[in-house]
Amino acid sequence: METLTLRRPDDWHVHLRDGEMLALAANFTARQFARAIVMPNLVPPVTTVAAATHYRDRIRHAVRPDHGFTPLMTAYLTDDIDADEIERGFREGVFTACKLYPANATTNSAAGVTDVKKLSAVFERMQTIGMPLLIHGEVVSPEIDIFDREAVFLETTLGPMLKDFPALRVVLEHITTEDSVVFVSEAGPNVAATITAHHLRIDRNDMFAGGMRPHAYCLPVAKRRKHREALRKAATSGNHKFFLGTDSAPHHKSEKESACGCAGIFSAPVAIESYAQTFEEEGALAKLEGFASEFGPQFYRLPLNDGTVTLERTAHAVPDVIEDGHIAIVPFHAGESIHWRLVD
Ligand code: NCD
Ligand code: ZN
């Protein structure tokens, strides 16, 4: 049987949720990844060192010990967050990075930042201490077309921010456009991007294939085919600026299949298999290890993982729905067959 062995990969952007969803989400991620950057968009958001420490404890408690999983925590930036609190969390090893959500850009972002100018002191401090800033890069103005919100953000917000803070270490999260690929490629070595498994496979047509497809809806929303092609090229290029971040974001099936369905795609159960399938389609399987296991830790200045994972070339069916107690979530690739399988 054909196999593919990789250094253990990490997920540089994931939503593990809290409460009853946490154990399910966290164990799917921990089965696949050694470490993950955990998003702080809980209700209420994770804005203090104490809240992040408690959340990290809940994650550690929820994950099976044999997974050997390390959650890396983030601080949720608000208009009035205190730079001293952020620096203290970073120095104590609680906060790995800060997350910038423009207010109301996405799920649980109402407490996010209304104007990046209000964060100057925080960005200044982060630049000084070398703390990464993870950005949901979309403008929120209702007059800007939803398919243009990422490209407009680069021009109106991120470009000027990087002029003011040229050494700030920035990860542009879950990029969806050719514009972002070009922006990040041309920026300095302090600017990188994560790419999800789903944005490498879906384009905006997939949301409307024969009817409305709520399980293909996430934010930033999938764009035209040409953008997906640019993302596939970037991910498989071997360029160290682009690395793996699933943005796996579980929502209850009933909340996706609704008159106002939630944004988010739950890819954690099949993430590395999905990336492998995409890289193989691009004739770039040899580039997967760098993208999944090396470029992320290099950017974050963390050691590479020890140990390996093995994928087997075996077709396996992805379930239509993943159920646990009264939780039901439709995973990415639901009802499809994937031809790589992670060996436990
Ligand atoms: C995420 C969520 O559900 O928390 N949703 C999504 O579509 N990606 C939030 C986010 O990362 O934008
Ligand atoms: Zn996310």
Side-chain angles (χ1 to χ4, degrees):
M1 175 168 320
E2 198 184 331
T3 62
L4 175 65
T5 297
L6 306 172
R7 182 188 292 280
R8 281 184 83 196
D10 302 303
D11 184 350
W12 299 99
H13 180 131
V14 72
H15 300 269
L16 297 184
R17 308 306 191 202
D18 207 351
E20 60 172 10
M21 188 90 96
L22 172 61
L24 185 141
N27 280 291
F28 276 115
T29 289
R31 176 177 167 259
Q32 297 227 336
F33 298 105
R35 295 171 289 196
I37 285 277
V38 180
M39 287 297 120
N41 63 332
L42 305 182
V43 184
V46 179
T47 54
T48 62
V49 181
T53 305
H54 289 135
Y55 185 31
R56 188 173 62 182
D57 288 345
R58 295 197 295 282
I59 296 167
R60 286 175 173 160
H61 183 76
V63 172
R64 277 174 32 197
D66 56 302
H67 284 314
F69 175 69
T70 304
L72 303 172
M73 310 311 289
T74 55
Y76 181 117
L77 296 180
T78 61
D79 282 352
D80 50 12
I81 197 149
D82 178 18
D84 290 338
E85 178 77 359
I86 286 169
E87 176 167 0
R88 182 169 74 85
F90 187 59
R91 295 210 184 279
E92 290 178 5
V94 178
F95 291 143
T96 299
C98 289
K99 177 65 191 257
L100 170 63
Y101 289 106
N104 303 314
T106 187
T107 309
N108 299 340
S109 63
V113 173
T114 59
D115 182 350
V116 292
K117 294 207 170 53
K118 295 186 175 165
L119 274 278
S120 293
V122 169
F123 296 158
E124 188 73 55
R125 185 76 65 90
M126 291 176 70
Q127 177 171 256
T128 303
I129 65 178
M131 184 177 189
L133 174 66
L134 317 183
I135 300 183
H136 183 110
E138 289 192 287
V139 293
V140 295
S141 339
E143 57 284 7
I144 306 292
D145 190 285
I146 189 167
F147 294 101
D148 297 333
R149 287 181 188 174
E150 184 174 291
V152 172
F153 183 88
L154 301 174
E155 214 178 289
T156 62
T157 310
L158 186 54
M161 263 174 71
L162 287 167
K163 285 215 167 66
D164 291 344
F165 305 99
L168 188 61
R169 297 172 61 215
V170 167
V171 184
L172 189 56
E173 301 285 86
H174 43 51
I175 60 170
T176 60
T177 57
E178 184 172 27
D179 312 66
S180 289
V181 169
V182 171
F183 185 98
V184 169
S185 300
E186 291 178 352
N190 54 312
V191 179
T194 53
I195 304 181
T196 73
H198 50 275
H199 288 116
L200 294 172
R201 302 198 67 82
I202 62 175
D203 65 48
R204 62 188 193 174
N205 293 286
D206 292 289
M207 287 184 291
F208 308 107
M212 287 183 66
R213 302 284 181 171
H215 299 292
Y217 173 57
C218 64
L219 288 169
V221 74
K223 310 294 192 297
R224 284 181 183 278
R225 169 84 43 118
K226 71 162 187 173
H227 295 290
R228 191 190 75 177
E229 296 317 308
L231 298 174
R232 288 172 78 109
K233 279 214 172 62
T236 59
S237 65
N239 183 337
H240 292 220
K241 283 168 161 274
F242 300 102
F243 48 83
L244 187 157
T246 63
D247 194 20
S248 177
H251 289 278
H252 292 287
K253 183 171 185 284
S254 58
E255 287 171 3
K256 294 281 296 174
E257 298 173 5
S258 140
C260 185
C262 294
I265 294 180
F266 183 43
S267 59
V270 292
I272 196 70
E273 292 97 328
S274 179
Y275 282 112
Q277 187 152 315
T278 300
F279 274 64
E280 182 174 43
E281 287 162 5
E282 293 294 314
L285 267 183
K287 297 281 169 59
L288 181 59
E289 186 169 42
F291 176 81
S293 317
E294 293 171 359
F295 306 157
Q298 285 164 0
F299 184 85
Y300 276 87
R301 299 176 181 160
L302 291 170
L304 303 187
N305 294 314
D306 294 329
T308 56
V309 294
T310 297
L311 303 178
E312 280 176 358
R313 176 193 282 292
T314 327
H316 70 107
V318 180
D320 291 333
V321 59
I322 289 173
E323 283 169 304
D324 182 28
H326 55 274
I327 301 176
I329 308 170
V330 176
F332 185 42
H333 288 278
E336 295 174 13
S337 170
I338 297 200
H339 58 250
W340 287 100
R341 193 173 62 84
L342 179 65
V343 181
D344 281 304

